[in-house]
Amino acid sequence: MVAVKDMPGILGLSNSQSLDIYYKMVLSRAASVRQRLLQRMGKGSITYSGEGHEATQVGTAYALKPGHDWVFTYYRDVGVVLTIGMTARDVLMAFFARKDDISSGGRNMPSHFSHPKLRIVSEGAPVATQIPHAVGTAFAAKLRGLDEVSMVWFGDGATSKGDCHEAMNFAGVHKLPVVFVCEHNQYAISVHWTKQMAVENVAVRAQGYGFPGVTVDGNDVLAVYRAAKEAVERARRGDGPTFIEAKTYRLVPHSSDDDDRRYRSREEVEEWSEKDPIIRFQAYLEGHGLLDEKTRDELTKKAAEEVDAATEYAENAPLPDPETALRHVFAEEEVA
Ligand SMILES: Cc1ncc(C[n+]2csc(CCOP(=O)(O)OP(=O)(O)O)c2C)c(N)n1
């Protein structure tokens, strides 16, 4: 029998990688909290938080090769982009819609990430549209004989869209190197999952499209990483797609424009706060001698300092020139 202590090693993770995963989760939480507070101070238009989703986001993204594989996120995925290599500064530059924001030069909504060098593909606001984009990119990789995997993240609500079904069908038919990650946080804004689907586990749908679907505890980062690693390996060796359903919970309202007291009880939120994925992984690492109090405090301080520095830099960075507002909207004449 495998000792729990050895689990990171079994998964091919060194001790320093385990701590790196923990750090990415802490950084992701700090970046989400900061944006939420700044928005309340009137310093940003809107924000979507990843609080509660850290194990799902970091655990899946950690299985990819950054800059080689293709990343298709949605607005909640701050933990994904920080794991792939975007910085807290990149995230805050987008939040403040600054001229040098790598995601869109301050044009897209905050939390709609993009980073060409890291192959984080620009996302649109309509729910689920990134899913066929990921499948199309996986199709291109297959046609070109490349070993590049596409991973795409979306919520439980997104699985009701035709885009999701069409994408899964096409991926199954062509056995494409794509991994579908459903961040099942139980709500699509105010709509509970029981009004979205008639199945207990949405992962069972994968079977209907001819590939495996797995359901994992989305608050257990090692379980998520294991599922993602297997799915990426399967995709890379040409065996086709996998659907991962990670059951989790968003600990705060849907966005800064939402009052979640109108559709979920405080008791429910409290219950899930006790399953906080960061505290859980921290307890795991401490309990198995991989993290002590000193290192934990250092990592927490490092994340806070990174987010502080990012906030200060971004807040003081220049806005886009208003003259450029229509750039990338209409065709422009070539300038010789
Ligand atoms: C096509 C479309 N319909 C409606 C919306 C408005 N909308 C934005 S987010 C959202 C909920 C999505 O929920 P889910 O996919 O479960 O993701 P979660 O926000 O819970 O992580 C909706 C309905 C939209 N952006 N696009």
Side-chain angles (χ1 to χ4, degrees), residues 29-296:
R29 174 72 55 94
S32 276
V33 171
R34 174 58 52 85
Q35 289 177 92
R36 203 156 49 75
L37 297 182
L38 288 169
Q39 198 281 339
R40 291 285 100 173
M41 291 163 74
K43 295 193 175 188
S45 53
I46 189 168
T47 173
Y48 302 88
S49 173
E51 287 159 82
H53 284 231
E54 291 87 356
T56 293
Q57 296 176 355
V58 177
T60 46
Y62 216 81
L64 294 176
K65 280 192 209 164
H68 178 83
D69 294 322
W70 296 88
V71 172
F72 296 82
T73 54
Y74 77 117
Y75 46 81
R76 207 168 294 295
D77 284 327
V78 63
V80 172
V81 299
L82 289 172
T83 302
I84 296 295
M86 283 179 78
T87 61
R89 181 186 285 190
D90 294 333
V91 170
L92 269 297
M93 287 290 276
F95 173 83
F96 283 109
R98 295 314 198 211
K99 173 172 160 281
D100 294 328
D101 151 41
I102 183 76
S103 289
S104 73
R107 285 160 169 77
N108 208 341
M109 290 170 74
S111 303
H112 288 61
F113 302 108
S114 161
H115 195 298
K117 275 208 186 110
L118 292 173
R119 297 193 164 177
I120 297 173
V121 180
S122 186
E123 67 189 73
V127 164
T129 46
Q130 74 278 22
I131 311 177
H133 296 167
V135 167
T137 304
F139 192 35
K142 180 160 184 174
L143 290 176
R144 292 173 183 167
L146 303 172
D147 72 342
E148 297 165 2
V149 173
S150 291
M151 192 176 275
V152 57
W153 291 259
F154 47 89
D156 40 291
T159 64
S160 300
K161 289 282 307 292
D163 308 55
C164 185
H165 293 270
E166 290 162 28
M168 287 173 73
N169 188 47
F170 196 86
V173 168
H174 296 281
K175 259 187 147 184
L176 300 181
V178 57
V179 180
F180 300 94
V181 179
C182 176
E183 299 182 34
H184 191 333
N185 65 14
Q186 315 195 33
Y187 291 88
I189 312 185
S190 57
V191 180
H192 193 247
W193 69 271
T194 46
K195 295 193 174 112
Q196 292 276 358
M197 54 185 85
V199 287
E200 182 74 23
N201 298 314
V202 68
V204 299
R205 289 195 189 149
Q207 203 187 345
Y209 296 113
F211 55 88
V214 290
T215 301
V216 290
D217 179 343
N219 282 18
D220 177 348
V221 72
L222 294 179
V224 172
Y225 175 72
R226 174 158 53 179
K229 186 172 185 275
E230 280 170 17
V232 168
E233 282 169 3
R234 187 181 133 77
R236 219 182 290 289
R237 63 172 184 260
D239 287 346
T242 304
F243 186 104
I244 298 172
E245 172 188 24
K247 295 219 172 156
T248 185
Y249 197 79
R250 66 170 154 73
L251 295 173
V252 295
H254 168 76
S255 74
S256 47
D257 289 353
D258 168 50
D259 180 359
D260 68 336
R261 289 170 302 185
R262 308 210 28 199
Y263 57 84
R264 57 183 196 176
S265 70
R266 294 309 86 189
E267 291 73 34
E268 184 184 287
V269 177
E270 192 48 43
E271 201 182 301
W272 275 93
S273 302
E274 284 164 19
K275 301 181 203 166
D276 186 317
I278 298 183
I279 294 174
R280 188 161 159 188
F281 193 41
Q282 186 178 300
Y284 176 91
L285 293 171
E286 285 172 354
H288 296 93
L290 299 170
L291 179 70
D292 58 21
E293 204 179 323
K294 183 170 164 280
T295 311
R296 188 195 68 200

